[in-house]
Amino acid sequence: MTLILPSKSGRVVTIERHILETQKYYPQATGVLTNLLYDIALAGKMIASQMSLAGLAQVLGKTGDVNVQGEQVMKLDRLADDIIYHMTATTGRVAVLASEEHEEIIPVPEQTTPGKYILMFDPLDGSSNIDYDAGVGTIFAIYNRVTSEGPGTVDDCLQTGRNLVAAGYIVYGVSTMFVYTTGHGVHGFTLDPSIGEFLLTHENIRIPPEPVYYSTNTGNQEKWSKGVREFTKALHGGNGKAKPLSMRYVGALVVDFHRTLLAGGIFYYPGDKGKPQGKLRLTYEAIPLAYIAEQAGGYASDGCQAILDIRPQQLHQRTPLFVGSSSLVRAAEAYIAKYDKGEECPPPVE
Ligand code: FDP
């Protein structure tokens, strides 16, 4: 059965048409960004198709290698990484790529003329979920190059999120969804596998003002700072002031973020005693999701400052991350300011 879901406007809008229509915001547009986004959407369909066959095609499990993050590389991580590379690197649209799975930047092939965009991606976020059929996703960020010619460099990749041209993610869950923004709202598309098209189902997503869920790995709380523990207590209703929120934690950032975006609430992965910078990567994970959150009326912080204001110093830099409904993320900053940082953070709001 074909799932044809009209958008709010009553039209059936494919992702291709939607991306083309957003060109109206850019009078100088040449269509290169449009095509790059479409390449990524196509890569997402290929990954989704491989994923649906994973158990049968024997691509579950580990490759036996360890990546730059010190984590086991899953076979599907490798596959997703290869698919995105092959769908984008030889098109002449990108100057350089960077993937969470690679220690260094990934140059485009010698015979390809470097393009004007920089593509950073996490090919398969939440990959420890793969073998259990739980949700995973791809995250991407696109910048203009800052160098003027020749192959792109690492400087092109170390830009603040304020420079983003586009960001998005693909969630491979109950259905496959592609969510993206080019700075003009956040839009979500659901893959109809019977026709192989992403169709607009979530137009102009806004984080609901009334938060519903909080999402964090409470197994780490003994190692958290007092500020983060007090904030968590407040979310449980422990300060007697607010209604307790429900807890949900898939353990795949992109999936936990997607729910937070649609339902309202907060996801956080703070630093702790052993890992002051937390676990998540600034460039591949935090910055693109922060941009999407802000575009949807939310906010993202490292507990002290906006994620989008941080200039990355290294490709694989980690950061604490608090993202979701603005009121909750600001409250987290305030608790951290009050209990952990003295004057360094904004004043607490009680
Ligand atoms: P994973 O280790 O499965 O790749 O960034 C990595 C990540 O998943 C995030 O997607 C997820 O939010 C987080 O790590 C889960 O970490 P914990 O297992 O420590 O909760």
Side-chain angles (χ1 to χ4, degrees), residues 71 77 100 122 124-130 136 139 216-218 220 249-256 267 269 275 279-281 285 318:
E71 298 159 348
D77 276 326
E100 199 205 270
D122 178 355
L124 214 57
D125 175 60
S127 49
S128 59
N129 276 341
I130 289 173
V136 289
I139 308 174
T216 191
N217 186 344
T218 47
N220 293 329
Y249 189 69
V250 170
L253 169 65
V254 64
V255 181
D256 285 314
F267 169 91
Y269 204 112
K275 294 190 220 143
K279 178 178 184 190
L280 304 175
R281 291 73 175 183
E285 298 175 313
R318 293 177 194 257

Side-chain angles (χ1 to χ4, degrees), residues 118 120 140-144 146 155-168 181-184 281-295 300 305-314 317 319 321:
I118 307 302
M120 319 263 307
F140 64 90
I142 299 173
Y143 299 89
N144 278 311
V146 289
D155 286 341
D156 288 312
C157 299
L158 299 179
Q159 301 190 48
T160 72
R162 299 282 174 213
N163 288 354
L164 274 167
V165 171
T181 179
T182 54
H184 297 279
R281 291 73 175 183
L282 178 62
T283 48
Y284 307 104
E285 298 175 313
I287 288 179
L289 298 185
Y291 184 56
I292 295 166
E294 286 203 8
Q295 279 293 313
Q305 62 187 316
I307 291 285
L308 293 182
D309 287 334
I310 305 173
R311 178 171 293 284
Q313 305 295 315
Q314 292 167 1
Q317 187 171 332
T319 181
L321 175 65

